[in-house]
Amino acid sequence: MTIEKETKTLHYFIVADASGSMGDQIVEVRMELNNHFKVLKEKAAETGDTVKVSLITFDTRIQWKLTGVHAHDLPVITDRDYRAGGMTALFDAVGTTIHKAAYQVGSFDPEKESVWVMVFSDGGENASHEFKGRHLKALLKEYQEKAGWTVTFTGCDISGLEDMKAMEFR
């Protein structure tokens, strides 16, 4: 008798800063995104779990480059997909992504599914209109406490990490 492993679903949202201040780091972040994609493909193939990836880039505007793409179908991100320009609407990008992720995923059993929001940014919020600091802080608190949700920040400089510490990213 064989015991089949119950598969899980990971909804992985990557929020990547494409503002002008990222100009000297964009190549490195693009390589990191492609490394993430490679690892996600390998893990999904190895475990049989379903991994759905969404890629959101932002500067002054928020752009959904990928939405719910299965890991095995992930493309290679090039400079056509992800390049620097514009200001930094960090709070709007994170807040909008959390809202859209919650809507897209809906209610779920955290034993079978999870949501991961990974933010790559150097910080330096200077262009958001919808989400102000206190609103984003409250939203982060709400979703970081939900079972099955993880929201993380990877900062490229000290000031970015300080900004996110103030927002109480875990």
Side-chain angles (χ1 to χ4, degrees):
M1 177 169 134
T2 60
I3 300 175
E4 290 189 31
K5 175 188 162 279
E6 188 172 315
T7 61
K8 295 185 177 188
T9 299
L10 169 63
H11 304 275
Y12 196 69
F13 295 83
I14 301 172
V15 183
D17 188 342
S19 65
S21 64
M22 293 290 291
D24 62 343
Q25 300 159 355
I26 208 88
V27 172
E28 181 181 347
V29 175
R30 191 169 39 245
M31 288 179 2
E32 189 60 34
L33 290 172
N34 285 316
N35 284 337
H36 263 70
F37 286 5
K38 180 182 178 210
V39 169
L40 290 169
K41 286 178 187 182
E42 290 170 354
K43 290 296 181 187
E46 177 184 307
T47 64
D49 290 347
T50 299
V51 178
K52 296 179 180 180
V53 179
S54 296
L55 173 62
I56 302 89
T57 63
F58 71 94
D59 52 17
T60 308
R61 299 175 304 137
I62 300 165
Q63 297 182 4
W64 286 73
K65 300 290 186 169
L66 304 171
T67 303
V69 175
H70 286 269
H72 55 80
D73 293 328
L74 287 169
V76 172
I77 301 301
T78 68
D79 61 345
R80 287 176 43 133
D81 306 307
Y82 180 58
R83 60 183 172 273
M87 296 178 70
T88 310
L90 175 62
F91 294 176
D92 282 355
V94 174
T96 299
T97 298
I98 290 172
H99 277 275
K100 189 166 179 179
Y103 178 79
Q104 186 175 316
V105 174
S107 63
F108 64 91
D109 178 352
E111 296 292 320
K112 297 178 183 175
E113 291 184 84
S114 60
V115 176
W116 191 295
V117 178
M118 167 69 78
V119 181
F120 285 94
S121 177
D122 62 354
E125 160 60 51
N126 61 18
S128 290
H129 298 287
E130 185 176 344
F131 288 89
K132 301 300 179 200
R134 70 179 188 275
H135 299 118
L136 181 62
K137 190 174 182 177
L139 187 67
L140 285 169
K141 180 175 174 35
E142 176 186 352
Y143 279 88
Q144 289 179 140
E145 291 179 2
K146 284 186 180 228
W149 277 79
T150 302
V151 182
T152 62
F153 177 81
T154 300
C156 299
D157 65 20
I158 297 300
S159 68
L161 292 173
E162 291 295 324
D163 288 345
M164 293 307 99
K165 183 178 178 184
M167 288 296 108
E168 296 181 8
F169 264 91
R170 291 199 181 139

